[in-house]
Amino acid sequence: KISKVRQEHEELRRAGEEEVMMVENRMPELEREEQLWLQRLQNSRIVTQSVLEELETSMGSAPLTALLKSKSASRVEAFPTQRSPSPEAGASPSDIKLEERLDA
């Protein structure tokens, strides 16, 4: 009976180790995917900012970019765990330009 319990315990331990290994093996893939989505989001923000600036110029109004900046700031506050790009963290120059444009 004790050997049966030990065998079951060993099987559970192995199954747990396999699950941990599967998750650890998937982490790099998930991190790459996260980076891709973050880059897409940043690109979308850049395009949105550019289009709004062009619209402002053609209409001669300034509130559109101010509105975008305030909405962007409120979204950042809503997701405080999101890291802002910095040169130390390996951010690309386009990431830094985006942040500078949103802060301006």
Side-chain angles (χ1 to χ4, degrees), residues 29-51:
E29 175 189 344
L30 293 172
E31 288 172 349
R32 281 190 300 274
E33 189 175 331
E34 177 188 29
Q35 286 297 334
L36 177 64
W37 285 110
L38 287 173
Q39 186 175 10
R40 286 179 179 174
L41 174 63
Q42 290 167 344
N43 290 341
S44 173
R45 286 182 178 169
I46 289 171
V47 169
T48 301
Q49 181 85 21
S50 297
V51 168

Side-chain angles (χ1 to χ4, degrees), residues 66-91:
L67 177 63
L68 175 66
K69 289 175 189 173
S70 68
K71 283 189 176 193
S72 178
S74 66
R75 285 186 187 137
V76 169
E77 291 171 8
F79 300 102
T81 57
Q82 188 175 9
R83 299 178 300 260
S84 61
S86 66
E88 301 84 29

Side-chain angles (χ1 to χ4, degrees), residues 53-70:
E53 286 174 357
E54 287 180 32
L55 183 59
E56 267 180 21
T57 302
S58 68
M59 294 179 69
S61 63
L64 293 175
T65 53
L67 177 63
L68 175 66
K69 289 175 189 173
S70 68

